[in-house]
């Protein structure tokens, strides 16, 4: 029967191929979506696997997590170094690493931190960071690159790089007055770390101070020809107003010349205001004495909730303590609608593929009545003919599943560099997970189930036709 | 007796008049019977009734000692597969199968036919099929593996005969199998068919409108004489 079914399909190879192709594409699509979804989630979970708490100025937990750990977006406020030092000194805290963000290098986020970051950060269930080349920065002008950054731009130890203000790839405000020298390149981790540039906290702050100085002296750090944004939106104005209130009306009235004379010595508040006016509120957070967040590892995981409560009630400034794992769950609930929509679309494509198969099998039934009558005349029962249809559908479905799986892997092989480059998603050619195998089984079962309709039709028709069908 | 018919009446569904009304017909083991009748007289319907494809309204058809009326559904299909070989007017080969695969088709659905073919073919049904085809002048390897639609009309008819004969069925039904052949080919084919039926020990019931074939057979009957139905219609 199998040989008969195969030869029959081979006889209709064009429709067979097209039907298999439509099933293969739908299978590849649904596998691809599931693989991307699971890889994204695993990647996110791996990224935060060693961090117990993230402390930042009070704000949205998801936003804090994304900005601090994943380098996506930014937080709107900063926290003081004294706060960092007080929390880091708590007995429950095993380690604490400060984080400053808001700059980018050719679209890759720049993180200001300490050398301890490289020793404390864990990914993929506890693996530490390691250097593929060089070592951590030792001075304020040193920089460590994630693997993807180095690969993308061909950087090696000793290369000089310039960062830009803001998180976007298109830089309008380049800190080219303060280049960094690459001291190390990290091994690839499959996390957003690969797409980050790390500089020392003093170095990160210094480029903004230098920018303020240069600017207030009348020098233009963008003299190499790049344009510049002079944002004066309401947020900036609001921040400026708050700064002005804090610093007093006298500072606001100070003349530009006066500030120029004083700022080198005092790093005065007037500079801050002038800088904020030009750079926006984010820049305020880059000033010395302020960081955007701190990553915390606790001596005991059981202290997480008490620490979270302590930080939430921190008296000196409003803070948020974000539990990365819990926040990821919150993030998944936010993304679930989009994920489910994608799944639905993929399922719809699979259903369409299967309906295509049923249509193909059904459409040939009339043309094959003589074939079935011949088979009946040589001894086939209606059940044999019915089984032949189911067998053909099974062969079509199985071929579609195999072709779809191959197409899926081909797609991954072709798209993985782009996914890693553009989205930081490291999708490997791993074997199919149990869940993915379950999808294949489900599609296969659905294919067999769908084939019962034409099989039932052919059973009834074969009984009625008997051997009488003549062509 | 291989085939015995008693008081057979059959009318097509929805029609009041029977197309078959046969009081008695018997064909002995190994006998070759030529049933001559005009087109549309009900000869093919009789073959369908004997093959168990249509449900007879009244009477009985006994084949190889079994009352076909006592068998239903799949059991009757299996009985037909085991005991009956059919040669059609239109040959009815499966176009995408090779000559050899077409001949072996009955062995795929009948263990009895497969076992008989294997016994007569050095343990392999395929050997029996090759031998049978060689007797029918189709032993060339190119022909054996050619697809049915690539064969000439004469070759297709001989393949259809080989398919009916494989596994030595008790009864071979031939429904106007020579109507598409010219006179020379017709006589050659009938001689070959008769020779193979005799070699296999199969009974042959050959129906045709062509009176010229009568001389080849053990016995000849005029269908109009045995069928008392006022009218007939083609199957």
């Amino acid at each position: 029967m199998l040989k008969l079914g195969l030869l029959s399909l081979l006889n209709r190879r064009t429709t067979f191929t097209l039907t298999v192709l439509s099933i293969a594409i739908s299978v590849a699509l649904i596998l691809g979506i599931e693989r991307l979804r699971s890889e994204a989630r695993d990647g996110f979970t791996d990224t935060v696997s060693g961090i117990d708490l993230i402390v930042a100025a009070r704000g949205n937990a998801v936003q804090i997590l994304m900005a601090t750990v994943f380098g996506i977006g930014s937080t709107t406020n900063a926290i003081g170094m004294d706060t960092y030092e007080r929390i880091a000194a708590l007995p429950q805290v095993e380690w604490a690493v400060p984080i400053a963000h808001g700059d980018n290098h050719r679209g890759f986020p720049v993180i200001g931190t300490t050398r301890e970051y490289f020793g404390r950060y864990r990914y993929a269930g506890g693996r530490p960071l390691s250097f593929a080349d060089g070592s951590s920065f030792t001075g304020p002008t040193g920089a460590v690159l994630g693997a993807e950054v180095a690969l993308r731009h061909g950087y090696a130890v000793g290369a000089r790089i310039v960062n830009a203000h803001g998180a976007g790839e298109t830089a309008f405000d380049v800190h080219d007055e303060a280049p960094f020298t690459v001291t190390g390149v990290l091994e690839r981790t499959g996390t957003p770390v690969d797409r980050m540039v790390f500089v020392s906290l003093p170095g990160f702050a210094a480029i903004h101070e230098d920018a303020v100085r240069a600017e207030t002296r009348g020098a233009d750090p963008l003299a190499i020809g790049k344009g510049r944004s002079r944002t004066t939106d309401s947020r900036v104005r609001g921040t400026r107003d708050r700064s002005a209130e804090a610093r007093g009306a006298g500072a606001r009235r100070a003349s530009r010349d006066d500030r120029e004379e004083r700022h080198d010595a005092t790093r005065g508040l007037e500079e801050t205001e002038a800088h904020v006016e030009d750079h926006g509120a984010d820049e305020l957070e880059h000033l010395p004495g302020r960081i955007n967040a701190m990553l915390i590892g606790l001596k005991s995981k059981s202290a997480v909730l008490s620490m979270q409560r302590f930080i939430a009630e921190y008296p000196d400034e409003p803070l948020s303590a974000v539990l990365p794992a819990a926040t990821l769950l919150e993030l998944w609930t936010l993304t679930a609608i989009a994920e489910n929509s994608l799944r639905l679309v993929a399922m719809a494509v699979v259903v369409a593929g299967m309906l295509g198969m049923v249509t193909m099998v059904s459409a040939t039934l009339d043309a094959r009545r003589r074939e079935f009558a011949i088979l009946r005349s040589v001894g086939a029962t209606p059940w044999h003919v019915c089984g032949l249809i189911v067998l053909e559908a099974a062969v079509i479905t199985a071929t579609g599943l195999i072709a779809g799986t191959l197409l899926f892997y081909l797609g991954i092989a072709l798209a993985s560099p782009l996914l890693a480059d553009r989205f930081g998603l490291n999708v490997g050619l791993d074997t199919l997970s149990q869940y993915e195998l379950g999808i294949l089984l489900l599609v296969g079962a659905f294919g067999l189930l769908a084939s019962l309709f034409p099989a039932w039709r052919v059973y009834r028709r074969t009984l009625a036709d008997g051997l009488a069908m003549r062509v | 007796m291989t085939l015995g018919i008693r008081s057979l009446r059959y009318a097509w569904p929805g029609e009041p008049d029977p197309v078959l009304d046969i009081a008695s017909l018997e064909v002995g083991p190994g006998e070759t019977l030529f049933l001559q009748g005009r087109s549309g007289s009900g000869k093919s319907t009789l073959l369908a009734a004997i093959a168990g494809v249509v449900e007879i309204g009244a009477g009985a058809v006994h084949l190889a000692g079994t009352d076909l009326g006592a068998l239903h559904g799949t059991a009757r299909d299996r009985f037909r597969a085991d005991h009956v070989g059919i040669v059609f007017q239109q040959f009815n080969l499966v176009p995408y199968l090779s000559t050899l695969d077409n001949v072996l088709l009955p062995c795929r659905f009948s263990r009895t036919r497969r076992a008989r073919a294997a016994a007569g073919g050095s343990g392999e049904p395929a050997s029996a099929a090759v031998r049978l085809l060689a007797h029918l002048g189709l032993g060339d390897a190119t022909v054996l593996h050619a697809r049915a639609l690539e064969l000439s009309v004469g070759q297709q008819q001989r393949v259809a005969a080989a398919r009916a004969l494989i596994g030595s069925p008790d009864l071979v039904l031939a429904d106007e199998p020579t109507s598409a052949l010219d006179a020379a080919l017709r006589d050659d084919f009938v001689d070959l068919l008769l020779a193979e039926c005799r070699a296999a020990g199969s009974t042959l019931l050959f129906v045709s409108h062509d009176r010229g074939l009568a001389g080849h057979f053990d016995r000849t009957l005029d269908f109009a004489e045995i069928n008392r139905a006022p009218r007939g219609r083609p199957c």
Side-chain angles (χ1 to χ4, degrees), chain A residues 31 34-35 38 409 430-439:
Chain A
L31 285 179
E34 280 306 320
R35 180 60 66 92
S38 64
Y409 278 116
D430 302 333
T431 54
L432 293 176
S433 68
Q434 282 194 335
Y435 186 74
E436 289 163 341
L437 284 172
I439 290 174

Side-chain angles (χ1 to χ4, degrees), chain B residues 151-171:
Chain B
L151 302 175
S152 69
V153 170
Q155 287 174 323
Q156 287 187 47
Q157 190 60 297
R158 279 177 281 165
V159 173
R163 187 180 63 188
L165 287 162
I166 189 81
S168 308
D170 296 296
L171 178 64

Side-chain angles (χ1 to χ4, degrees), chain B residues 25 36 57 67 92 116 119 140 194 215 218:
Chain B
L25 176 65
Q36 188 275 327
D67 180 2
N92 284 355
R116 285 185 195 161
D140 187 84
L194 287 167
D218 297 337

Side-chain angles (χ1 to χ4, degrees), chain A residues 3 370-371 376 382 470, chain B residues 53 77 92 96-97 101 175:
Chain A
K3 183 182 178 184
R370 183 182 176 213
E371 176 188 338
R376 291 271 283 135
R470 290 186 176 185
Chain B
V53 176
D77 288 328
N92 284 355
Y96 54 81
L97 293 183
D101 285 332
D175 185 5

Side-chain angles (χ1 to χ4, degrees), chain A residues 382-415:
Chain A
W383 287 113
H384 277 126
V385 179
C386 181
L388 186 67
I389 296 297
V390 174
L391 186 71
E392 287 181 10
V395 170
I396 292 170
T397 307
T399 312
L401 289 176
I402 293 168
T405 307
L406 293 176
L407 197 63
F408 160 69
Y409 278 116
L410 181 68
I412 287 180
L414 293 176

Side-chain angles (χ1 to χ4, degrees), chain A residues 84 95-99 111-122 129-131 134-140 142-144 183-184 186 198-203:
Chain A
Y84 162 73
W95 57 267
V97 174
I99 296 288
I111 303 293
T113 186
T114 61
R115 290 163 58 93
E116 194 173 8
Y117 181 95
F118 307 109
R120 293 296 187 183
Y121 185 86
R122 295 287 183 273
L129 294 176
S130 57
F131 282 86
S135 59
S136 174
F137 44 71
T138 51
V144 171
T183 62
L186 294 168
F198 299 92
V199 299
S200 71
L201 209 55

Side-chain angles (χ1 to χ4, degrees), chain B residues 93 99-100 103 129-146 151-163 189 192:
Chain B
L93 301 179
T99 298
L100 199 55
V103 173
V130 170
R131 191 169 53 80
L132 189 57
L133 285 165
H135 285 181
L136 292 167
L138 300 171
D140 187 84
T142 312
V143 176
L144 286 177
H145 299 290
L151 302 175
S152 69
V153 170
Q155 287 174 323
Q156 287 187 47
Q157 190 60 297
R158 279 177 281 165
V159 173
R163 187 180 63 188
F189 173 76
L192 276 172

Side-chain angles (χ1 to χ4, degrees), chain B residues 17 24 35 100 128 139 158 181 197 211 214 232:
Chain B
D17 299 326
S24 173
L35 199 58
L100 199 55
R158 279 177 281 165
L181 304 178
C197 281
R211 292 179 186 276

